[in-house]
């Protein structure tokens, strides 16, 4: 029980540090546009245990986002997209529910549910998160093609990063 | 606990989600310049659209008052120009800051008219209570309309140019010949100009203005242009057709001219 929370807190700091110290500085793209942004922090919300209260999850996502925004100098942007993702997490979980249901002590990981399940689960949520992030960043659907391009490229690379992280460290 | 995901109240979660998103958006709009600009721009677009629709609607309700105001303004401007004409003759160095007013204009609206009879009439919605008296000239923005014939306290009856008893004294501009406008039924855009001697050097398209000889109209109001010139055999005068500048079928807002020096002039002409 205790180790579950300490694990999550550790993961929180690790992911945030990777994000703001390394990934924030990587800009890959061509032309005038940086299409590829790396997002690894959504993994924190993905791996929060199932038994967490939904309201607490939303608030947690909000403050995680705000914490990131402090470093990105964009108040509200990350918190908005993370809250959206946290809100959608339950619907996706319900949608992907295995035949014998979830056990309350579980954490949605490869260890518990298998690689394919985790791949679908994480890619849906990460895609939603990134799409929301770029939509809010543009703040207007006038730039829809640009939003879509940025979302797709960033999603592919972020998803690879996230899956790599989970496969290598294999959290329980 | 088979399904812990259903444990929480959905509505409560949704409200929390909305609240957190609103906080995020408030932060975004308040602290990020790009989104702030877009937000202000689009909200301006939206509010501007609503505002302009609303103002249009309001303006429609105010049209009547606006019209009245415009007529008053026009009357003031026309009046100023007539009075200016009569006072700029003379020493131009003399700075007359308060010229003596000669003409006063009273705005009015035509509330009844006929144009297809031999003796057409028009009725104004203003009468002696607005200062209208018998034998005052009536003009609109494009030319002259007629002369007031009868007045009661709230209405005035006008004999328009297109009435066989109407006689208006006019000049051919820059040529100096003066004549009388008379109407022959039934074309309300055309009017006859008589008393122009046959030696006069006139052409089609010459401008006809009021002469100012009578006390009814000030000098220089544009009436129309010469459309056709005929010389009747044995006559000493041209038979001239003038095309009226204003369309008496459409005329609605008119100004009644009050000549403030009328009695002085009539007195010496007795």
């Amino acid at each position: 029980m205790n180790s579950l929370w300490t694990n999550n807190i550790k993961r929180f700091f690790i992911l945030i540090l990777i994000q703001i110290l390394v990934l924030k500085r990587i800009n890959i793209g061509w032309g005038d546009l940086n299409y590829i942004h790396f997002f690894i922090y959504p993994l924190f919300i993905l791996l929060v245990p199932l038994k967490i209260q939904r309201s607490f999850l939303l608030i947690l996502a909000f403050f995680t986002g705000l914490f990131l925004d402090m470093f990105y100098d964009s108040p509200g942007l990350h918190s908005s997209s993370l809250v959206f993702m946290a809100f959608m997490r339950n619907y996706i979980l319900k949608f992907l529910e295995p035949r014998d249901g979830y056990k309350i002590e579980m954490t949605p990981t490869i260890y518990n549910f298998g690689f394919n399940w985790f791949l679908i689960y994480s890619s849906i949520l990460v895609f939603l998160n990134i799409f929301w992030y770029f939509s809010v960043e543009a703040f207007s659907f006038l730039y829809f093609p640009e939003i879509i391009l940025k979302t797709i490229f960033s999603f592919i690379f972020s998803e690879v990063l996230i899956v790599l992280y989970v496969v290598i460290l294999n959290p329980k | 606990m088979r399904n812990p995901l259903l444990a929480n109240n959905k509505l409560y979660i949704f409200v929390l989600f909305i609240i957190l998103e609103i906080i995020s958006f408030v932060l975004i709009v308040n602290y990020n310049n790009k989104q702030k600009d877009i937000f202000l721009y689009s909200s301006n677009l939206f509010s501007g659209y609503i505002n302009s629709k609303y103002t249009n609607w309001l303006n429609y309700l105010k049209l009547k008052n606006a019209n009245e105001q415009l007529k008053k303004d026009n009357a003031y401007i026309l009046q100023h120009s007539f009075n200016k004409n009569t006072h700029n003759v003379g020493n131009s160095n003399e700075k007359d800051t308060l010229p003596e007013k000669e003409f006063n204009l009273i705005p009015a609206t035509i509330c009844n008219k006929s144009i297809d009879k031999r003796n057409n009439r028009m009725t104004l919605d203003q009468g002696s209570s607005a200062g209208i008296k018998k034998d005052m000239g009536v003009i609109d923005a494009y030319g002259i309309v007629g002369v007031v014939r009868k007045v009661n306290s709230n209405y005035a009856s006008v004999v328009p140019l297109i009435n066989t008893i109407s006689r208006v004294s006019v000049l051919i501009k820059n040529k100096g010949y003066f004549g009388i406008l008379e109407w022959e039924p039934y074309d309300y855009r055309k009017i006859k100009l008589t008393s122009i001697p046959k030696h006069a050097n006139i052409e089609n398209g010459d401008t006809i203005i009021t002469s100012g000889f009578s006390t009814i109209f000030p000098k220089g109001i544009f009436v129309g242009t010469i459309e056709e010139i005929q010389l009747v055999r044995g006559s000493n005068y041209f038979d001239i057709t003038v095309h009226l500048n204003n369309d008496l079928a459409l005329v609605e807002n008119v100004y009644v001219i009050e000549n403030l020096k009328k009695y002085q002039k009539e007195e010496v002409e007795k």
Side-chain angles (χ1 to χ4, degrees):
Chain A
M1 177 69 195
N2 241 344
S3 71
L4 194 64
W5 289 113
T6 45
N7 275 345
N8 271 293
I9 292 165
K10 270 188 228 158
R11 193 183 301 126
F12 172 80
F13 285 111
I14 292 167
L15 290 175
I16 297 265
L17 283 177
I18 295 174
Q19 183 71 38
I20 62 183
L21 294 182
V22 183
L23 299 182
K24 189 191 163 196
R25 289 150 205 271
I26 303 175
N27 285 319
I28 304 171
W30 49 90
D32 295 332
L33 297 165
N34 295 320
Y35 283 123
I36 301 169
H37 294 245
F38 293 93
F39 297 86
I40 200 165
Y41 63 87
L43 188 56
F44 170 67
I45 299 295
L46 289 177
L47 293 184
V48 165
L50 287 177
K51 69 176 174 187
I52 190 169
Q53 292 270 328
R54 282 189 74 190
S55 48
F56 182 62
L57 180 68
L58 285 181
I59 292 165
L60 192 65
F62 179 73
F63 284 105
T64 312
L66 270 189
F67 192 71
L68 277 160
D69 283 327
M70 282 163 58
F71 296 95
Y72 273 83
D73 291 328
S74 58
L77 194 52
H78 289 86
S79 58
S80 168
S81 55
L82 264 189
V83 166
F84 177 65
M85 186 180 129
F87 178 72
M88 294 306 287
R89 192 181 98 133
N90 253 40
Y91 297 104
I92 304 300
L93 276 174
K94 229 177 273 176
F95 176 67
L96 296 172
E97 189 171 354
R99 202 171 297 146
D100 50 349
Y102 294 110
K103 283 183 191 118
I104 194 161
E105 294 296 334
M106 277 180 167
T107 299
T109 53
I110 292 179
Y111 178 82
N112 285 327
F113 295 100
F115 182 80
N116 285 344
W117 185 91
F118 184 80
L119 188 65
I120 296 167
Y121 166 71
S122 61
S123 42
I124 293 172
L125 285 176
V126 169
F127 185 85
L128 288 175
N129 176 58
I130 292 175
F131 179 69
W132 187 275
Y133 176 86
F134 283 119
S135 302
V136 174
E137 191 197 30
F139 214 65
S140 157
F141 281 106
L142 281 180
Y143 310 109
F144 197 71
E146 197 186 309
I147 293 172
I148 285 292
L149 278 176
K150 277 184 166 181
T151 305
I152 290 170
F153 283 109
S154 302
F155 164 69
I156 292 167
F157 287 86
S158 304
E159 182 63 23
V160 168
L161 258 185
I162 285 170
V163 170
L164 274 179
Y165 181 96
V166 177
V167 167
I168 292 167
L169 297 178
N170 202 9
K172 304 224 153 87
Chain B
M1 277 299 248
R2 194 174 124 63
N3 198 341
L5 307 172
L6 291 171
N8 285 316
N9 186 345
K10 271 185 184 174
L11 185 68
Y12 164 65
I13 298 297
F14 184 71
V15 170
L16 182 69
F17 166 66
I18 295 295
I19 290 170
L20 290 176
E21 284 294 344
I22 287 172
I23 295 172
S24 300
F25 274 82
V26 167
L27 288 172
I28 289 170
V29 170
N30 279 338
Y31 294 101
N32 301 331
N33 284 330
K34 186 185 157 203
Q35 280 91 346
K36 194 175 189 174
D37 288 346
I38 294 175
F39 179 74
L40 289 178
Y41 176 71
S42 25
S43 57
N44 279 348
L45 271 188
F46 180 69
S47 61
Y49 176 78
I50 297 289
N51 272 340
S52 73
K53 284 282 162 196
Y54 182 62
T55 324
N56 270 349
W57 183 72
L58 272 190
N59 279 348
Y60 186 75
L61 296 181
K62 286 185 198 155
L63 261 181
K64 204 180 164 205
N65 287 339
N67 217 4
E68 291 295 321
Q69 188 55 44
L70 270 179
K71 273 158 71 185
K72 275 181 195 153
D73 293 353
N74 268 343
Y76 177 78
I77 290 163
L78 281 172
Q79 186 175 303
H80 191 71
S81 73
F82 293 151
N83 291 324
K84 199 176 168 190
N85 281 344
T86 54
H87 281 276
N88 272 357
V89 195
N91 188 358
S92 59
N93 289 331
E94 186 185 303
K95 289 211 170 65
D96 192 355
T97 51
L98 191 65
E100 199 179 348
K101 219 163 122 180
E102 190 174 349
F103 298 104
N104 191 20
L105 263 69
I106 304 157
T109 305
I110 288 177
C111 59
N112 187 20
K113 68 179 167 193
S114 63
I115 54 164
D116 54 353
K117 301 191 174 69
R118 274 187 76 81
N119 292 315
N120 294 304
R121 291 280 177 170
M122 293 185 181
T123 310
L124 305 183
D125 67 345
Q126 303 284 346
S128 56
S129 61
I132 297 177
K133 296 190 188 87
K134 190 172 177 285
D135 290 336
M136 283 183 179
V138 181
I139 60 170
D140 75 341
Y142 305 103
I144 61 179
V145 174
V147 180
V148 176
R149 177 49 60 98
K150 254 194 208 165
V151 187
N152 66 20
S153 62
N154 286 319
Y155 294 96
S157 176
V158 175
V159 173
L161 282 177
I162 49 169
N163 185 315
T164 49
I165 64 166
S166 151
R167 300 284 184 276
V168 176
S169 167
V170 292
L171 271 180
I172 298 175
K173 196 184 181 185
N174 297 334
K175 307 256 162 95
Y177 297 105
F178 72 93
I180 306 287
L181 285 182
E182 289 175 31
W183 187 58
E184 285 178 9
Y186 287 94
D187 189 343
Y188 63 85
R189 293 304 304 261
K190 292 188 175 64
I191 195 157
K192 293 285 178 197
L193 175 58
T194 58
S195 320
I196 302 291
K198 66 176 178 186
H199 66 269
N201 176 25
I202 56 172
E203 291 164 34
N204 284 349
D206 277 359
T207 305
I208 308 292
I209 59 174
T210 54
S211 66
F213 288 175
S214 73
T215 53
I216 295 173
F217 295 108
K219 188 178 176 178
I221 301 175
F222 180 42
V223 178
T225 50
I226 294 179
E227 191 172 79
E228 202 184 342
I229 303 169
Q230 283 176 329
L231 189 53
V232 183
R233 282 174 75 87
S235 167
N236 278 329
Y237 299 99
F238 281 118
D239 182 16
I240 298 170
T241 306
V242 174
H243 184 259
L244 283 178
N245 185 47
N246 56 351
D247 187 345
L248 290 173
L250 292 177
V251 64
E252 194 182 341
N253 293 317
V254 296
Y255 306 98
V256 181
I257 302 171
E258 182 183 12
N259 189 338
L260 301 171
K261 289 181 178 173
K262 182 177 180 165
Y263 298 108
Q264 295 182 23
K265 192 174 176 187
E266 281 175 357
E267 208 175 81
V268 295
E269 287 176 352
K270 253 179 200 168

